[in-house]
Amino acid sequence: QARSHRFFPQFPIQGFLSIQIIQHRSIPMSLPSHVRLVEVGPRDGLQNEAQPISVADKVRLVDALTAAGVSYIEVGSFVSPKWVPQMAGSAEVFAQIQRKPGVTYAALAPNLRGFEDAVAAGVKEVAVFAAASEAFSQRNINCSISESLARFVPIMEAAKQHGVSVRGYVSCVLGCPYEGNVAPEQVALVARELYAMGCYEVSLGDTIGTGTAGATRKLIEVVAADVPREKLAGHFHDTYGQAMANIYASLLEGVSVFDSSIAGLGGCPYAKGASGNVATEDVVYLLNGLGIDSGIDLEALIVAGQHISTVLGRASGSRVARARSAQ
Ligand code: HMG
Ligand code: MG
């Protein structure tokens, strides 16, 4: 028997069809015409490398990314060198890169000390990082979630004084290496705090890459009740090969900023077994295929990825780059 649909009462529809529409009521977002990619390879990518990588090689990588048209590059971290030795030379890297106007060169800062070191190195944008899981927060930054949020308050105040923008991360949004499942509501709580304290954007980190497209859509729906979708970014590690699907799911949910890593570099030193972020080359290939502009030249990006892969002495983690080199 025909009846009116709950959301579209002007359309009388049959029972089966109405159930389909109700289940997929979050779909109608159209895809964006432009996506901003946040290149995290020099930071999230290289932070996990045990072998020494020279400042010159890091600078060459950042400059190659700039030349490829990347508009946002996370260059390094101002964290304790005892915790993440590979990021110890970040100030030198910042001193030597060729900055192009309009490009953001950002750094991680876990506390006021890190923020001050970043500003002294000429950094104009920092990222603070919290977690949705207590155990990960303790392992990664040696404090509870609420202690970390309290630590960020003076950073926000100092950032305002220095005209520095602050981006926020939430880790373990789709699973924790120590606690397992993480409720989307818990992620929303942390994301809301970061947004409320002045982070202009909150990047949702699937640190261990266990998330699926369905879980990603659910996560964004829940978090978007507290932080607008246009203020959210997706940060997908590709450990389970789900990152591309999760990006597409996020696009359908109205998210248009994604973090990615050249050549798929990386992992987090405090998330054992976590692999690199989704490869930037692969995301640009996906976006090109969807007719979505990212401002990035795929060919130049592939060259940048091949160069750093040679420095590291291994094959690129980008499927696109590997396919191209096999041709
Ligand atoms: P702590 O040991 O609790 O800190 O570490 P503390 O305040 O007791 O200080 C201990 C020592 O560190 C002291 O030196 C401080 O001076 C020094 P000592 O007296 O022993 O010689 N120190 C610093 N040195 C340099 N820069 C600083 C700094 N702060 C203190 N900023 C701390 C706490 C937060 C410092 C430490 O846990 C840390 O550095 N953690 C960083 C961990 C990290 O970088 N993880 C990777 C990035 S997060 C990530 O990858 C996830 C993400 O990609 C999203 C996702 O995928 O989910 C963002
Ligand atoms: Mg990460």
Side-chain angles (χ1 to χ4, degrees), residues 43-44 47 74 77-84 108 110-111 113-115 117 129 136 140-142 151 169-172 205-207 235 237 267-270 277:
R43 192 282 302 171
D44 205 352
Q47 73 183 6
E74 218 172 62
S77 296
F78 291 87
V79 298
S80 163
K82 286 182 193 145
W83 286 65
V84 186
L108 291 196
N111 51 22
R113 154 94 190 267
F115 175 82
D117 289 352
F129 47 110
F136 187 81
N140 194 37
I141 48 178
N142 205 24
R151 254 179 216 179
Y169 276 108
V170 186
S171 284
C172 299
D206 183 9
T207 317
H235 177 108
H237 285 261
C268 175
Y270 297 99
N277 293 82

Side-chain angles (χ1 to χ4, degrees), residues 6-7 13 20 29 31 37 42 55 66 71 83 85 93 98 106 108 134 146 227 231 247 265 279 302 308 319 322:
R6 204 175 128 198
F7 301 106
I13 43 176
Q20 296 298 301
M29 293 277 181
L31 294 177
L37 291 186
V55 168
T66 302
S71 64
W83 286 65
V93 179
Q98 301 273 335
L108 291 196
E134 283 295 349
S146 62
V227 182
K231 303 291 181 189
I247 287 177
L265 299 176
I302 289 173
I308 189 66
R319 302 290 295 266
R322 289 211 303 266

